[in-house]
Amino acid sequence: MSRVLFALLVMVVVASCGSKDTRAPRNLDNACAILKEKPHFKSAFTKTRRKWGVPVHVQMAVLYQESKFIADARTPHKYALGILPMGRQSSAYGYAQALDGTWDQYRRETRNRGAKRDNIKDASDFMGWYFNESRDRNGVSMHDARAQYLNYHDGHTGYARGTYRNKAWLLRVADDVASRSAMYQAQLKSCSRIW
């Protein structure tokens, strides 16, 4: 075998070993199944709960809404005239769909310069940091998935101004997040042996 072919083969093998599992869990409607399938999620969510006080079911409900637990999730493309691609709708990326500017602020303030949006531990910690700000700035309980999501979506200033009140679609989504949070909470109680 030639050296070039051998080197190429070695590169392919090494690259495949380092690839991430970016797929969503198989059963998105069962918190216990998600944590069983993705044990590293459990570790990330537990660490965030201990560090920031955000309940696991609240983290999971928001992550479901934002990315369906897909590591490299992105917003859809915008099109001019329905056919010409004009870039993405926003810079939101990763599990938490964090925007570039907010992610940069998180990395600066937490001194976590190497944090990556497609890493569940970093994405979960980011949510803890952001929800902590929502509590401090807007008085939102860590257990209130609906209000935390509204802060998350409209930003702390937007939430304080009540911008979400004029967005019926967003209020429906926030209600869905609250319902999913309650569902996940009940499920997690039933599989407490995982914890």
Side-chain angles (χ1 to χ4, degrees), residues 9-49:
L9 183 62
V10 168
M11 285 176 42
V12 168
V13 169
V14 169
S16 68
C17 291
S19 66
K20 291 184 188 179
D21 178 11
T22 60
R23 295 168 295 145
R26 285 186 292 277
N27 186 353
L28 295 174
D29 292 330
N30 186 314
C32 300
I34 291 168
L35 297 180
K36 186 175 181 183
E37 181 180 343
K38 307 263 187 181
H40 58 292
F41 282 18
K42 176 184 147 193
S43 141
F45 300 153
T46 301
K47 185 174 180 183
T48 295
R49 183 187 69 210

Side-chain angles (χ1 to χ4, degrees), residues 140-156:
V140 176
S141 165
M142 294 294 196
H143 297 269
D144 187 344
R146 183 179 188 275
Q148 283 289 358
Y149 183 75
L150 291 170
N151 264 274
Y152 199 73
H153 188 277
D154 272 16
H156 297 120

Side-chain angles (χ1 to χ4, degrees), residues 121-162:
K121 288 179 183 173
D122 294 333
S124 176
D125 190 65
F126 168 81
M127 284 183 22
W129 167 80
Y130 197 91
F131 289 5
N132 204 51
E133 284 290 309
S134 299
R135 183 194 62 208
D136 294 349
R137 292 174 64 175
N138 292 326
V140 176
S141 165
M142 294 294 196
H143 297 269
D144 187 344
R146 183 179 188 275
Q148 283 289 358
Y149 183 75
L150 291 170
N151 264 274
Y152 199 73
H153 188 277
D154 272 16
H156 297 120
T157 303
Y159 181 85
R161 289 182 183 155

Side-chain angles (χ1 to χ4, degrees), residues 55-98:
V56 171
H57 59 276
V58 173
Q59 294 176 57
M60 292 180 74
V62 173
L63 284 172
Y64 170 87
Q65 182 59 44
E66 290 299 290
S67 68
K68 306 292 187 280
F69 301 100
I70 297 170
D72 56 357
R74 292 185 184 274
T75 58
H77 285 283
K78 293 185 291 186
Y79 293 92
L81 305 173
I83 55 169
L84 301 171
M86 302 294 291
R88 300 221 176 248
Q89 291 178 357
S90 78
S91 64
Y93 175 73
Y95 285 112
Q97 288 295 282

